[in-house]
Amino acid sequence: MLFRSVYKSTDGGASWKYVGLGDSQHIARIVIHPRDSNTVYVAACGNEYTANPQRGIYKTSDGGANWTKVLYEDEMTGGYDLVIDPRDPETLYASMWHRIRRPWSDPVPGPGGGVYRTTDGGKNWTRLTKGLPERGIAGRTGLAIAASQPNTVYAIVDSHAVVGQAEDGQRDSYGRARGEIKKGAEVYRSDDRGETWALTSGDDRAMRGLFSTYGWVFGQIRVDPTNPEVVYALGVPLLKSEDGGKTFKGLNYRGLHSDHHALWIDPANPNYLINGNDGGVNLDRKSTRLNSSHTVISYAVFCLKKK
C-alpha cells in the first residue's frame, strides 16, 4: 500500500492532522521509535511517473513538525521499505529502489537502490551487498526483522535476472507478448545484522507464481514475532514458510481474494493474523490452528488502494 502524505492522530484516530511530505507523492512505510513516539522514520517513494528529489528516507524527532532527509541517492531512487530493530532502535534497515513507471511499461531496475543499514539513528548508512542481487537486476525489495532474534533479517526481492525466453505467442498478465522471462520472487536471509545474505528460497512452483509479472506491485514479507523460522511472503498468493524461507506453502481458502499487500501478526498470539488484499481485509478466526490449510474468514470488506 502507498499513501500520498503523512498524517498524525493523537486521539486514537478520531481526528488527523497533516504533518508533511506531501511533495513526495507516495509514502511506502512509516516506522515509529518503540520508546519515543516523537521520533518517526518514513520511506518516501517519490512521484509515480516523473523524477523528483522529495524521495528517500526521512526522519522527524519532534513528532512531524520538522523532517530531515537522512538517506538519499538521486531524484529517481525512492525509499520502499523500512524496519527497525526492536532491541536497538538506533539500527534500521531501508530498501531503496531506482524506479520510474512509464504509462506503456512496468518499472524496471536501474543503477541505484539497494538495502541499507544505519546503526546511529539515520546519521550514517551503509549499503549492504554481500549475497544480495546487483542493482541492475534487483527490483522492488521488501524487508522484515525477526523480533525474537533481531540479528535475523529477511529480504524479498523482485529479481529481474533472465532465466529464459518466452515461447512464441506467450503473453504476460496484461496480455502483452512476452520476451525475456525474469526470475521473479526471491527470499534472502541474513543472520548477522545484514553483513552477509544467503538466498534461501528455491525455484519451485510456489515462488515462480508468487509475483507472476507483477513484482513491482508487492514487496512485502513478514516474520513471526516469536519464531524467526516462520516467514510469510505476500504476492498474488499468500505463502508461509516454517523452515526459514527455504520452502513455502500457500495459505488458501475458498473465496480468499488474491493480491496480498498487508499482513499484521499479533505479537501476543502469532497465530492470529489480519491480512489485507485486493478484496478487502481477512482474519484468521481459528487462531489456535494456523497451518497451511487454515481457515480465513472475511471480516471487513473495504477496498485497499493498490499501488
Side-chain angles (χ1 to χ4, degrees):
M1 295 178 64
L2 300 180
F3 299 93
R4 293 188 177 273
S5 304
V6 178
Y7 289 80
K8 175 182 178 181
S9 173
T10 57
D11 54 12
S15 62
W16 294 85
K17 177 184 178 182
Y18 171 76
V19 292
L21 301 187
D23 289 340
S24 172
Q25 292 293 307
H26 296 88
I27 304 298
R29 186 75 66 203
I30 299 174
V31 172
I32 302 174
H33 191 291
R35 294 191 285 274
D36 177 12
S37 61
N38 284 320
T39 298
V40 181
Y41 300 85
V42 166
C45 310
N47 289 341
E48 180 84 354
Y49 295 101
T50 59
N52 71 313
Q54 291 83 13
R55 59 179 73 208
I57 306 301
Y58 288 81
K59 178 182 180 179
T60 178
S61 299
D62 53 16
N66 298 280
W67 293 91
T68 301
K69 189 189 299 182
V70 294
L71 177 59
Y72 177 73
E73 283 194 25
D74 55 53
E75 61 182 10
M76 295 182 69
T77 304
Y80 276 82
D81 212 350
L82 191 60
V83 292
I84 190 168
D85 187 326
R87 299 182 188 175
D88 176 18
E90 294 295 291
T91 297
L92 297 94
Y93 303 83
S95 164
M96 301 283 283
W97 181 23
H98 180 105
R99 175 246 204 240
I100 293 291
R101 185 182 179 189
R102 302 303 183 191
W104 57 86
S105 67
D106 295 342
V108 296
V115 177
Y116 287 80
R117 182 189 64 203
T118 179
T119 58
D120 55 12
K123 296 177 183 176
N124 299 280
W125 295 82
T126 300
R127 188 162 69 90
L128 308 173
T129 60
K130 295 180 180 178
L132 289 172
E134 297 179 359
R135 284 174 159 178
I137 64 172
R140 182 169 180 166
T141 298
L143 301 171
I145 190 167
S148 63
Q149 185 175 291
N151 283 358
T152 297
V153 186
Y154 286 90
I156 188 165
V157 180
D158 177 30
S159 172
H160 283 239
V162 177
V163 295
Q165 294 289 327
E167 298 178 1
D168 290 342
Q170 189 174 0
R171 297 188 175 275
D172 66 14
S173 302
Y174 298 99
R176 302 170 302 191
R178 296 191 68 178
E180 294 178 337
I181 298 175
K182 307 299 176 60
K183 178 70 179 294
E186 292 183 328
V187 174
Y188 290 81
R189 173 173 172 161
S190 172
D191 290 303
D192 55 10
R193 292 163 60 93
E195 289 294 329
T196 60
W197 299 78
L199 175 65
T200 62
S201 60
D203 184 21
D204 56 17
R205 181 178 179 181
M207 293 306 296
R208 287 195 300 271
L210 181 61
F211 287 168
S212 186
T213 58
Y214 298 110
W216 60 277
V217 172
F218 298 109
Q220 304 293 322
I221 188 168
R222 300 289 183 269
V223 185
D224 184 306
T226 64
N227 186 346
E229 305 304 314
V230 176
V231 184
Y232 299 87
L234 285 68
V236 177
L238 175 62
L239 304 182
K240 179 183 179 182
S241 172
E242 296 181 317
D243 56 9
K246 296 176 183 177
T247 61
F248 285 86
K249 294 182 179 180
L251 300 180
N252 302 304
Y253 92 105
R254 188 169 59 88
L256 178 65
H257 203 286
S258 60
D259 291 0
H260 301 269
H261 301 289
L263 184 69
W264 179 77
I265 307 171
D266 187 343
N269 177 12
N271 286 323
Y272 180 63
L273 308 177
I274 298 179
N275 165 234
N277 55 61
D278 276 11
V281 173
N282 300 78
L283 60 82
D284 171 34
R285 177 172 285 176
K286 297 180 180 179
S287 58
T288 60
R289 297 194 301 150
L290 180 62
N291 53 50
S292 61
S293 61
H294 77 301
T295 299
V296 180
I297 60 98
S298 180
Y299 178 65
V301 180
F302 60 89
C303 181
L304 294 176
K305 182 177 180 183
K306 200 172 180 181
K307 280 61 103 200

